[in-house]
Amino acid sequence: MTIKIYGVPVSTCTARATACLYEKGVDFELLLINFFGGEHKQPAFLSKNPFGQIPALEDGDLTLFESRAITAYVAEKFKETGTDLIRHNNLKEAALVKVWIQVESQSFDPAITPIVLEYVLAPMKGKTADQAVIDANLVKLEKVLDVYESRLSSTKYLAGDFYSLADLHHYPYTHYFMTTPWAPLVNDRPHVKAWWEDISSRPSYKKMAEAITSG
Amino acid sequence: MTIKIYGVPVSTCTARATACLYEKGVDFELLLINFFGGEHKQPAFLSKNPFGQIPALEDGDLTLFESRAITAYVAEKFKETGTDLIRHNNLKEAALVKVWIQVESQSFDPAITPIVLEYVLAPMKGKTADQAVIDANLVKLEKVLDVYESRLSSTKYLAGDFYSLADLHHYPYTHYFMTTPWAPLVNDRPHVKAWWEDISSRPSYKKMAEAITSG
């Protein structure tokens, strides 16, 4: 049975889920939600995710939401095929993947998200970007990237010398961030730059980016 | 080799990690960090967690940080003993645990944390609580608890009819929240109230609460 993803390609969280499916080489069907028409707040979608947020996944009779739970499920279900994103045969490496997944979720995401939302999304909604919000979060993001620079000077990827779900989770917001005037925050840190060039050259990233561009 | 936790009992994130160790019946040693003296920002601790946040875990030569990564590691390493917190033998149940772990992290925590920090922590630092911050987050928390009320009317615990890490992750902030004037947000929702009474009656919760009280 084909996995179904409900969402829209331009959504960062939809993109995180689909990027993982691309990385694992798992076929899926993308069922478009009329996001700007508010379809995700209607009863049909709320029955899949009571929080009314995209994406949702359906796999047979199983319905999931929260992009990072969807990726973790896909990585677990298909752990024996394609890239092992969770290092399931090595307890210590698996633990380090969990740590850096949390870092993305707890430190990176809360800093980069408001910047992308203000710079990219506000104008799409006819609003002016709030520069004070951007500035405050650029300060936070720089601190996070300083830690990344140090970390990536000793390991090739965040959790170790292996690509993992922790790296993949950075795809969507960094993709949008690199279109902003603050891309030098990444490019001026040599190890962060090398890491980003590496992971954004993967076929899974390119497929995700293409889907975002095609809208 | 005994697991070491670096932190302080009153810290919510330290409490989340230790509660999981209590639940699994795993012995550990708590190494106190002089949190109010800023020891977590000094080089010795930064070598364990470059973000300078407690807790950190040491298990032999493995060092971890981020409380939710620590609990996930403990739940995985000791999956065959005590309560199975991650439903490791059932892919679908395990996926639902992942979903509700994300809900706690992405929806519950961002709403309840500012309330607890303002009401409990600000006065400890000699500051006045910012009521506007509290009010804005009470609105967010009510929306989350409405979803919980609906969810818990069909399943006994968040991920299903089994206690899991998703429930345990709620311990520390809810513990503090129940000391605030807004505890009725929990108690006025019958299914949320029954859930909270159930999970807060577990020995792991009681040990955590006792450690917080003893400071």
Side-chain angles (χ1 to χ4, degrees):
Chain A
M1 200 174 305
T2 307
I3 285 178
K4 292 176 185 167
I5 296 285
Y6 295 82
V8 287
V10 295
S11 134
T12 47
C13 292
T14 302
R16 187 178 290 119
T18 57
C20 183
L21 289 155
Y22 291 134
E23 183 66 38
K24 297 298 289 186
V26 173
D27 283 338
F28 66 95
E29 184 182 358
L30 180 64
L31 292 145
L32 293 176
I33 292 290
N34 181 357
F35 185 74
F36 291 101
E39 188 182 349
H40 54 306
K41 302 296 182 190
Q42 298 302 315
F45 188 80
L46 290 171
S47 71
K48 303 185 200 309
N49 178 358
F51 291 96
Q53 293 163 339
I54 53 171
L57 169 147
E58 275 181 5
D59 187 8
D61 62 356
L62 179 67
T63 304
L64 303 177
F65 55 93
E66 284 288 342
S67 66
R68 294 173 187 85
I70 290 172
T71 60
Y73 168 72
V74 169
E76 175 71 26
K77 179 171 180 176
F78 301 100
K79 62 187 176 188
E80 304 294 352
T81 57
T83 316
D84 178 3
L85 295 172
I86 50 173
R87 310 301 281 183
H88 71 285
N89 283 323
N90 186 313
L91 186 65
K92 290 185 180 180
E93 289 181 354
L96 290 166
V97 173
K98 291 179 176 83
V99 167
W100 288 92
I101 281 176
Q102 286 299 319
V103 169
E104 184 279 326
S105 166
Q106 297 290 325
S107 296
F108 181 84
D109 184 81
I112 202 167
T113 296
I115 299 168
V116 169
L117 292 185
E118 288 298 327
Y119 188 79
V120 180
L121 202 64
M124 286 169 68
K125 291 184 173 176
K127 294 180 185 169
T128 307
D130 185 333
Q131 193 60 41
V133 168
I134 292 175
D135 290 344
N137 284 287
L138 285 170
V139 172
K140 290 182 194 172
L141 185 61
E142 289 227 55
K143 288 182 184 168
V144 175
L145 292 177
D146 283 343
V147 174
Y148 280 32
E149 180 64 11
S150 172
R151 173 69 180 171
L152 294 165
S153 70
S154 64
T155 56
K156 189 169 179 194
Y157 299 99
L158 287 172
D161 288 324
F162 48 84
Y163 172 83
S164 78
L165 208 47
D167 305 299
L168 183 145
H169 281 183
H170 289 76
Y171 280 6
Y173 275 103
T174 315
H175 172 82
Y176 281 108
F177 181 79
M178 296 308 281
T179 69
T180 75
W182 306 289
L185 264 62
V186 167
N187 289 329
D188 290 350
R189 290 174 170 80
H191 294 94
V192 176
K193 180 175 190 279
W195 166 76
W196 178 247
E197 286 177 350
D198 181 299
I199 67 172
S200 64
S201 69
R202 295 180 76 88
S204 58
Y205 177 86
K206 289 182 178 170
K207 285 179 190 170
M208 178 204 78
E210 194 183 310
I212 289 175
T213 308
S214 327
Chain B
M1 200 174 305
T2 307
I3 286 178
K4 293 177 184 165
I5 296 285
Y6 295 83
V8 287
V10 296
S11 134
T12 48
C13 292
T14 302
R16 187 178 290 119
T18 57
C20 183
L21 289 154
Y22 290 133
E23 183 65 39
K24 297 299 289 187
V26 174
D27 284 338
F28 66 95
E29 183 182 359
L30 180 64
L31 292 144
L32 293 176
I33 291 290
N34 181 358
F35 185 74
F36 291 101
E39 188 182 349
H40 53 306
K41 302 296 182 189
Q42 299 302 315
F45 188 81
L46 289 172
S47 71
K48 302 185 201 310
N49 178 358
F51 291 96
Q53 293 163 339
I54 53 172
L57 168 147
E58 275 181 4
D59 187 9
D61 62 357
L62 180 67
T63 304
L64 304 176
F65 55 93
E66 283 288 342
S67 65
R68 295 174 188 84
I70 290 172
T71 60
Y73 168 71
V74 169
E76 175 72 25
K77 179 171 180 177
F78 302 100
K79 63 188 175 187
E80 304 294 352
T81 56
T83 316
D84 178 4
L85 295 171
I86 50 172
R87 311 300 282 183
H88 71 285
N89 283 324
N90 185 315
L91 186 65
K92 289 184 180 180
E93 290 181 353
L96 291 166
V97 174
K98 291 178 177 81
V99 167
W100 289 92
I101 281 176
Q102 287 299 320
V103 169
E104 183 278 328
S105 166
Q106 297 290 323
S107 295
F108 180 84
D109 183 82
I112 202 168
T113 296
I115 300 167
V116 169
L117 292 185
E118 288 298 327
Y119 187 79
V120 181
L121 202 65
M124 286 170 69
K125 291 184 173 177
K127 293 180 185 171
T128 307
D130 186 334
Q131 193 60 42
V133 169
I134 291 175
D135 290 344
N137 284 287
L138 286 170
V139 173
K140 290 183 193 171
L141 185 61
E142 289 226 55
K143 288 182 183 168
V144 176
L145 292 177
D146 283 343
V147 175
Y148 280 31
E149 180 65 10
S150 172
R151 172 70 180 170
L152 294 164
S153 70
S154 64
T155 57
K156 190 171 179 191
Y157 300 98
L158 288 171
D161 288 323
F162 48 84
Y163 172 83
S164 77
L165 206 48
D167 304 299
L168 184 146
H169 281 184
H170 289 76
Y171 280 6
Y173 274 104
T174 316
H175 171 83
Y176 281 108
F177 181 77
M178 295 308 280
T179 69
T180 75
W182 306 289
L185 263 62
V186 168
N187 290 328
D188 289 350
R189 289 174 170 80
H191 294 95
V192 176
K193 180 175 190 278
W195 166 76
W196 178 246
E197 285 177 352
D198 181 299
I199 67 172
S200 65
S201 70
R202 294 181 77 87
S204 58
Y205 177 86
K206 289 182 178 170
K207 285 179 190 170
M208 179 203 77
E210 193 183 310
I212 289 175
T213 308
S214 325

